[in-house]
Amino acid sequence: MILHSQNKTIEIGKRTLIMGILNVTTDSFSDGGDYTDIDTAVARAKEMIEQGADIIDIGGMSTRPGHEEISIELEMERVIPVIKRISSELDTIISIDTYRYEVAEEAMKNGAHIINDVWGLQRDNGEMAAVAAKYDAVVVAMHNQNGTHYEKDIMISMREFFEKTFNIAEENGLSKNKIIIDPGIGFGKDIDLNLEVLHRMNEIRDIAPILLGTSRKRFIGTLLNGLPPKERAEGTVATTVAGIERGADIVRVHDVLQNKRAALVADAIIRR
């Protein structure tokens, strides 16, 4: 599958794509405060590209459970200068990690290609979908909910959620074929649900291409006897390989080099 967005082409399915995480925030759970300076952020993006990142995902507000919202203006102040610099200096695909359509539109104006929305186009009244349609952007739509209780089987609930996402997209002129789905590991799910979704992820691979985002998340730390976020690379690699086997086309990670190497080997075995 070939996806087009602005001046970039994204080929899905031939190999696993690596999305490198660039948080220009002070409070992200793993790397908050590491890349708040523009020069440092651009240098980190360059390093990830050299290590094998196909996409750089830039976020200006933490979306971890219990996060504190910041103003739209502050979010823009953090991400737009970085997007401009990376767009002008580095040859890469840029993703904006936001659920605010105002930030997404400004990002698209300044060089972004993908909108990564942790609320799957369902946080507003269709404005995010309309922005994506306006710029013919690729969208990563993540499954999410408040709380971890589900009345139905988790995979049925997920299918219903994405059906709503596709309906919102259609109503606002965005093709379903521009949407990549993310099962939302760590969002609206406890550790058991995270593991169940990972185990059964192949059940949703018919819906759309899948992006998997597990990098350094809490459930990995729990499984590894409480290891802190920056020591969870090996655990993340395990989820990357399991995810590729179950249909993931893109993995969103902090530790690009380790996951790129794992994906190369997994692809050689699985994508034959």
Side-chain angles (χ1 to χ4, degrees):
M1 176 185 286
I2 304 294
L3 300 178
H4 300 280
S5 189
Q6 308 250 56
N7 62 337
K8 293 293 184 183
T9 298
I10 306 167
E11 186 171 5
I12 301 291
K14 185 175 181 181
R15 62 180 176 83
T16 303
L17 302 179
I18 307 296
M19 176 183 278
I21 299 169
L22 182 60
N23 287 320
V24 290
T25 63
T26 58
D27 61 343
S28 291
F29 79 96
S30 174
D31 55 359
D34 288 355
Y35 308 110
T36 52
D37 173 78
I38 294 177
D39 289 336
T40 304
V42 175
R44 176 58 180 156
K46 183 178 180 181
E47 179 184 35
M48 288 194 289
I49 293 165
E50 290 171 349
Q51 292 176 343
D54 302 284
I55 304 163
I56 302 298
D57 188 47
I58 301 168
M61 179 174 69
S62 173
T63 52
R64 62 181 170 79
H67 75 277
E68 185 172 331
E69 287 200 359
I70 60 172
S71 69
I72 292 172
E73 292 74 20
L74 178 55
E75 188 178 355
M76 286 189 186
E77 286 174 16
R78 289 176 174 178
V79 299
I80 301 305
V82 176
I83 290 171
K84 286 181 177 179
R85 281 277 304 276
I86 292 175
S87 177
S88 64
E89 297 179 19
L90 304 174
D91 182 19
T92 192
I93 298 166
I94 299 171
S95 169
I96 174 64
D97 180 5
T98 187
Y99 55 77
R100 290 160 156 175
Y101 68 88
E102 300 95 336
V103 178
E105 177 153 29
E106 199 65 24
M108 296 305 295
K109 287 179 183 176
N110 285 282
H113 308 96
I114 297 172
I115 297 171
N116 183 9
D117 181 359
V118 299
W119 282 100
L121 304 179
Q122 298 183 33
R123 179 79 176 203
D124 52 38
N125 296 307
E127 290 91 345
M128 182 69 90
V131 167
K134 177 180 178 180
Y135 292 92
D136 197 28
V138 172
V139 171
V140 175
M142 195 185 82
H143 175 264
N144 204 344
Q145 74 163 33
N146 293 314
T148 60
H149 176 71
Y150 291 83
E151 296 288 343
K152 300 179 181 179
D153 174 83
I154 181 66
M155 306 310 286
I156 293 174
S157 296
M158 196 171 290
R159 295 186 80 92
E160 292 178 350
F161 177 94
F162 288 127
E163 187 62 33
K164 183 177 179 182
T165 291
F166 295 143
N167 289 339
I168 292 169
E170 184 178 9
E171 290 166 2
N172 289 277
L174 177 67
S175 170
K176 173 184 174 180
N177 294 329
K178 303 290 283 194
I179 296 175
I180 296 166
I181 62 170
D182 177 345
I185 300 299
F187 289 81
K189 301 167 191 71
D190 58 23
I191 184 170
D192 290 332
L193 285 173
N194 286 330
L195 294 172
E196 183 172 358
V197 170
L198 279 167
H199 180 66
R200 299 173 60 192
M201 199 172 72
N202 62 307
E203 296 179 24
I204 59 169
R205 66 192 304 176
D206 64 300
I207 299 176
I210 297 173
L211 178 146
L212 179 62
T214 60
S215 188
R216 301 182 180 179
K217 287 188 175 175
R218 182 182 302 173
F219 82 101
I220 295 175
T222 301
L223 292 172
L224 296 176
N225 298 315
L227 281 181
K230 290 186 179 180
E231 294 183 32
R232 299 172 188 169
E234 297 91 344
T236 300
V237 165
T239 64
T240 290
V241 174
I244 293 170
E245 194 274 332
R246 288 162 173 78
D249 292 298
I250 306 171
V251 291
R252 180 180 181 272
V253 297
H254 298 85
D255 303 292
V256 169
L257 184 61
Q258 296 93 323
N259 285 277
K260 175 66 175 182
R261 289 172 174 171
L264 284 170
V265 176
D267 281 349
I269 297 167
I270 297 162
R271 299 183 191 270
R272 295 186 67 83

